[in-house]
Amino acid sequence: MAIENIPEIYIKDSTKNSDLFVYDFKMSNDVVKSKVNLGMNMFSFLQVGKKQVHFSGNTVAVNKDQSLLLKKGNWLWTELLDTETIYYCKLFFFSEQKLTDFLSKYTNNVKPYKEEVPYFVIENDDYIAAFISSLSSKAFEKNNYSSALLSLKFDEIMLYLLDKYGNPFEYYLHALISKEISPFNSTIESHINSNLKVEEIAFLCNMSLSTFKRHFIAAYNSPPGQWFQDKRLQKAKVLLQEGHLKPSDIYLDIGYNNLSNFSTAFKNKFGINPTEISN
């Protein structure tokens, strides 16, 4: 699957100031684990549909009653239609320079915490709903004062969220410009129990598949496919031994697309069928 460079693919005139950019995104088909190189920090104001983002360390899912602030980086996006026949969200991009200017003007020089968290989930309220309604790419396309208006809109939402969430949001904003990429080992071990493919984890590590495999073997003395399978099967065995779950309850979470493949791999690893443990 090709990598999408966002927001570059949405910008028609590359000569314009790119510190702030609004884009109305619509689609009529589900997209699962699309590889995205997000070149700017971004608000995702979801209007219709569901959104899930896989990061190097974790995953977050939001619905239309929430908004998402994302740090720039390599992420996997899943965007799904809901009850409607269209997926629609408003994207508001901002540069690190714009964020730095805002922080120096309105906040203290704090030391951020939770630097590994690349997102902030926002619970929408009436004020945020009104703000989203006022935010449209068409409203700024032909306006002579579009740059000034966007700057005001950026300050508006940032100041409102600072007031709404206080210190946690302020610390998160400082963390956006304090760290670029999570460590290799942290990325690997945070996805032991995920159902991401090896090539998808390599992407989250900002590596080609061949480079990722080379680094992985050097770090873990094992090919990544075999290592992840062993770790996930060990996790499956523990879950089944606890007696609360059946193989059909866990195979997807362990990284298998169907129960048959999971059962075969489990038996090859432990010499018994998973149903023999869960019964």
Side-chain angles (χ1 to χ4, degrees):
M1 183 183 296
I3 298 173
E4 292 187 323
N5 295 308
I6 294 176
E8 287 83 357
I9 61 174
Y10 302 144
I11 298 175
K12 297 178 182 178
D13 186 354
S14 59
T15 63
K16 286 188 176 181
N17 188 323
S18 58
D19 281 338
L20 295 170
F21 178 64
V22 176
Y23 186 76
D24 297 319
F25 177 76
K26 297 180 180 180
M27 67 176 188
S28 56
N29 297 299
D30 291 343
V31 173
V32 178
K33 294 178 184 174
S34 173
K35 293 180 179 179
V36 172
N37 175 259
L38 185 60
M40 298 173 70
N41 300 312
M42 181 194 80
F43 283 100
S44 176
F45 297 114
L46 185 58
Q47 302 292 279
V48 182
K50 299 176 182 178
K51 188 184 191 86
Q52 185 179 61
V53 184
H54 301 272
F55 305 96
S56 57
N58 45 26
T59 301
V60 63
V62 294
N63 56 40
K64 63 181 178 60
D65 297 319
Q66 300 168 307
S67 296
L68 192 62
L69 179 50
L70 293 173
K71 181 179 182 178
K72 69 176 186 178
N74 278 9
W75 316 130
L76 297 169
W77 288 12
T78 293
E79 296 169 306
L80 304 173
L81 308 183
D82 198 357
T83 55
E84 306 292 334
T85 58
I86 193 171
Y87 174 95
Y88 176 45
C89 66
K90 295 183 179 181
L91 307 177
F92 192 6
F93 301 90
F94 57 94
S95 68
E96 286 199 5
Q97 184 59 55
K98 198 67 180 177
L99 177 59
T100 300
D101 292 345
F102 175 86
L103 292 175
S104 63
K105 185 176 180 180
Y106 293 107
T107 71
N108 299 314
N109 185 24
V110 300
K111 181 179 180 180
Y113 66 99
K114 293 184 178 179
E115 293 184 17
E116 75 279 3
V117 180
Y119 65 88
F120 194 97
V121 177
I122 299 161
E123 300 296 330
N124 293 345
D125 54 26
D126 290 343
Y127 188 97
I128 294 174
F131 174 85
I132 295 172
S133 296
S134 71
L135 198 68
S136 172
S137 59
K138 292 182 180 179
F140 302 103
E141 280 179 354
K142 298 180 180 180
N143 194 301
N144 293 328
Y145 304 101
S146 59
S147 294
L149 284 171
L150 278 176
S151 291
L152 291 172
K153 300 302 290 183
F154 177 72
D155 285 359
E156 176 188 352
I157 191 62
M158 285 296 197
L159 289 171
Y160 182 77
L161 293 174
L162 278 174
D163 183 69
K164 181 180 175 75
Y165 291 107
N167 287 341
F169 187 71
E170 180 179 350
Y171 297 157
Y172 169 78
L173 292 180
H174 281 275
L176 283 179
I177 56 175
S178 66
K179 195 173 181 181
E180 289 300 316
I181 302 171
S182 297
F184 179 78
N185 287 41
S186 174
T187 302
I188 300 303
E189 294 177 26
S190 67
H191 285 289
I192 289 175
N193 297 318
S194 78
N195 60 359
L196 296 185
K197 299 176 182 178
V198 171
E199 54 266 32
E200 292 170 336
I201 298 174
F203 175 75
L204 294 177
C205 291
N206 293 283
M207 294 180 180
S208 67
L209 183 57
S210 59
T211 301
F212 175 80
K213 288 180 177 179
R214 187 167 62 252
H215 279 260
F216 194 99
I217 292 172
Y220 294 96
N221 298 312
S222 173
Q226 184 62 51
W227 189 88
F228 277 111
Q229 177 174 276
D230 287 347
K231 292 291 185 181
R232 290 166 179 173
L233 289 174
Q234 289 286 356
K235 175 68 173 180
K237 185 178 181 182
V238 170
L239 291 173
L240 294 174
Q241 286 175 332
E242 290 174 351
H244 303 300
L245 298 171
K246 299 178 180 179
S248 58
D249 298 324
I250 67 171
Y251 74 91
L252 284 174
D253 291 334
I254 299 301
Y256 288 85
N257 292 326
N258 60 69
L259 181 58
S260 176
N261 287 346
F262 167 68
S263 298
T264 299
F266 192 95
K267 186 172 183 179
N268 289 339
K269 173 73 175 173
F270 300 112
I272 58 174
N273 289 315
T275 51
E276 296 179 55
I277 294 181
S278 59
N279 287 337

